[in-house]
């Protein structure tokens, strides 16, 4: 089951493009999963390196040399950004968020399914800017969100 799960997830995300900026990398790690992200980068590298060069514009069977070089460069940039995200311990999941469901309930901001919706909203903010991941700041943001 473990192997099937990992291979299925890697296959699903193999052709997904990841923009070479920190916010995009954090969002990708969140969506793809911390447990396979680095492995996905290695699989993407092997995938691109194994593609044949075509002398004409790329089609379903391969990519041209320039596109291949560009994809490998972008992938290398993404890997450096990913390593920085990990080194900085940037928040990439709900479990790393400075607030949790109990904080939302205690503040009287949401109940039931509304808790998850509010936490996802806050996570999205933090994925864009990790400096936002402070308890008081997130509770303030949550109150502002509920007022809209």
């Amino acid at each position: 089951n473990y192997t099937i799960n990992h291979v299925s997830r890697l296959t699903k995300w193999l052709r997904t493009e990841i923009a070479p900026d920190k916010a995009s990398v954090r969002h990708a790690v969140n969506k793809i999963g911390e447990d396979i992200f680095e492995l996905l980068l290695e699989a993407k590298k092997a995938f691109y390196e194994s593609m044949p060069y075509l002398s004409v514009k790329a089609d379903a069977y391969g990519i041209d040399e320039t596109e291949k070089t560009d994809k490998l460069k972008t992938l290398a940039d993404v890997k450096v950004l990913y390593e920085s995200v990990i080194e900085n311990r940037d928040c990439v999941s709900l479990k790393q968020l400075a607030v949790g469901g109990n904080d939302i309930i205690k503040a009287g901001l949401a109940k039931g399914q509304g808790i998850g919706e509010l936490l996802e909203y806050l996570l999205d903010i933090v994925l864009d800017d990790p400096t936002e991941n402070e308890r008081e700041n997130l509770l303030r943001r949550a109150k502002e969100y509920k007022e809209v």
Side-chain angles (χ1 to χ4, degrees):
N1 283 343
Y2 175 85
T3 302
I4 292 171
N5 175 282
H6 276 62
V7 171
S8 296
R9 289 170 56 212
L10 288 169
T11 303
K12 175 182 177 181
W13 296 106
L14 187 63
R15 291 186 179 235
T16 300
E17 298 294 327
I18 303 166
D21 64 80
K22 275 192 170 183
S24 295
V25 170
R26 285 188 294 268
H27 280 276
V29 172
N30 173 259
K31 186 178 282 188
I32 293 164
E34 298 171 72
D35 60 327
I36 67 164
F37 192 81
E38 192 166 7
L39 186 57
L40 176 65
L41 295 180
E42 293 302 316
K44 287 171 83 62
K45 181 179 179 193
F47 177 71
Y48 293 140
E49 287 177 343
S50 70
M51 292 188 105
Y53 292 137
L54 298 176
S55 58
V56 294
K57 180 63 184 149
D59 61 15
Y61 300 104
I63 58 178
D64 64 30
E65 187 173 354
T66 302
E67 185 178 2
K68 183 175 185 174
T69 301
D70 291 347
K71 285 186 178 293
L72 288 169
K73 167 76 170 91
T74 298
L75 193 58
D77 292 345
V78 167
K79 184 167 183 164
V80 168
L81 292 167
Y82 169 70
E83 290 167 352
S84 175
V85 164
I86 296 305
E87 183 179 312
N88 294 335
R89 298 182 184 188
D90 290 353
C91 175
V92 294
S93 68
L94 285 173
K95 68 183 177 187
Q96 295 173 311
L97 206 53
V99 296
N102 287 335
D103 297 311
I104 300 298
I105 293 168
K106 286 178 186 173
L109 296 169
K111 296 179 188 176
Q113 287 182 309
I115 297 168
E117 177 186 315
L118 192 50
L119 289 172
E120 288 291 339
Y121 167 77
L122 296 173
L123 178 60
D124 197 50
I125 290 170
V126 171
L127 291 173
D128 286 337
D129 181 2
T131 64
E132 295 282 338
N133 195 24
E134 295 181 13
R135 186 178 184 282
E136 294 306 318
N137 182 52
L138 292 176
L139 289 174
R140 178 185 53 76
R141 294 285 224 136
K143 287 175 187 169
E144 291 170 359
Y145 176 77
K146 294 305 287 181
E147 292 172 1
V148 173

